[in-house]
Amino acid sequence: MTRSATVDTHRVWRLGADIDTDVLAPGAYMKLGIEGIAPHCLEALRPEFAREVRGGDVIAAGPGFGIGSSREQAAGALRHLGVSAVIAPSYSGLFFRNAYNLGLLLLTCPQAETLVEGDAVRLDLHTAGAPAVVAADGRRLACEPVPDFLLAMVNAGGLFNLLRQRIPSKTLETS
Amino acid sequence: MTRSATVDTHRVWRLGADIDTDVLAPGAYMKLGIEGIAPHCLEALRPEFAREVRGGDVIAAGPGFGIGSSREQAAGALRHLGVSAVIAPSYSGLFFRNAYNLGLLLLTCPQAETLVEGDAVRLDLHTAGAPAVVAADGRRLACEPVPDFLLAMVNAGGLFNLLRQRIPSKTLETS
């Protein structure tokens, strides 16, 4: 999805600040695996989300996205549902780490909260060192640079897939 | 250092909010390598820091620690100087990732700014799932949990050293 991000548009789901991991991956379903967790992603805030989200949609939220527990499924559920990116002013450090490891693009965007629910936005990841979200009204919202190694992880579908490309398979299977 | 963190005390350097990567690893010295960068770490804010910091000291700061560029040397300089941990309410996601990869412990601590310059604090990383900073006056400041895989990275001295322990050396040298 991110490969063609400069031409595709992405529908915005607009959330508030401090979206925590329990809202993203509710504790009650943690034993079910990602297929069982994802249908409940964000249901406490937006009951329709998991049912109506489409591959390529993005989430625009307030600061502190992904705070709470260390559960990797918080990022995994968004990825499983086909969310292309999260756009927020700041993230929990651990969520940021987990998300990229799982191939979920996070854009650190101070003006994320000016994006509008339901609007179609574009992601410009190709202007060297200066990624941006282009809002429906044409405004260009600057984001913090995303280093190449993190973009490579997103494009590969996560760290494990990237390592599979780069390290002989026998090593990963036996270590 | 972190292995004996429950018995050791750590002297506090108290900094403000939004300490950016250029203050940690000034751009003018980036070509010098970490030995050349580290002596200038934080010099714009605290000219005496690099000269007077001792191995085992910790930094307590405000939110947004490590914002700015993606330069890994920002965390590398602190580690090179022997800083045991940074204690702050929030971090740049990318700094958080880089720091743990380099074996620098970051504690996410909402009350970090109540710590006092020069005080001796203890780090309790051993109370399962509930790390804390114990202030000089005995207050126990709760921190977000640090998953075992991140503590393992700190104890190994960074991701590369951890991988060296776990993957046959030949693979890493050739990939």
Side-chain angles (χ1 to χ4, degrees), chain A:
Chain A
M1 284 172 286
T2 54
R3 282 176 218 275
S4 54
T6 47
V7 292
D8 288 346
T9 61
H10 303 267
R11 184 176 61 160
V12 171
W13 292 80
R14 185 67 176 78
L15 304 175
D18 296 328
I19 301 296
D20 68 36
T21 53
D22 197 61
V23 166
L24 292 164
Y29 307 101
M30 290 299 287
K31 287 183 182 167
L32 300 180
I34 201 67
E35 289 81 4
I37 296 166
H40 302 282
C41 180
L42 288 167
E43 73 181 0
L45 285 179
R46 301 286 299 268
E48 77 284 16
F49 176 77
R51 194 173 61 244
E52 296 183 6
V53 67
R54 294 190 300 253
D57 286 358
V58 296
I59 289 173
F65 195 93
I67 61 169
S69 78
S70 62
R71 65 183 71 153
E72 205 176 44
Q73 293 88 340
L78 295 177
R79 175 113 152 72
H80 189 79
L81 294 168
V83 170
S84 268
V86 180
I87 304 160
S90 65
Y91 300 89
S92 146
L94 190 52
F95 180 82
F96 188 93
R97 187 175 185 99
N98 289 337
Y100 275 98
N101 283 354
L102 293 175
L104 177 65
L105 177 66
L106 305 186
L107 291 170
T108 304
C109 179
Q111 293 182 276
E113 289 168 288
T114 68
L115 293 170
V116 177
E117 170 80 17
D119 271 5
V121 300
R122 289 188 302 116
L123 306 181
D124 177 4
L125 305 177
H126 299 274
T127 304
V133 178
V134 183
D137 60 10
R139 283 176 308 133
R140 191 177 166 82
L141 311 184
C143 303
E144 283 188 17
V146 181
D148 289 344
F149 79 97
L150 290 184
L151 283 182
M153 243 187 259
V154 170
N155 285 329
L159 176 60
F160 187 71
N161 289 324
L162 188 68
L163 290 175
R164 277 207 300 202
Q165 293 169 10
R166 296 189 179 176
I167 294 181
S169 58
K170 208 170 172 186
T171 308
L172 283 179
E173 283 160 15
T174 56
S175 65

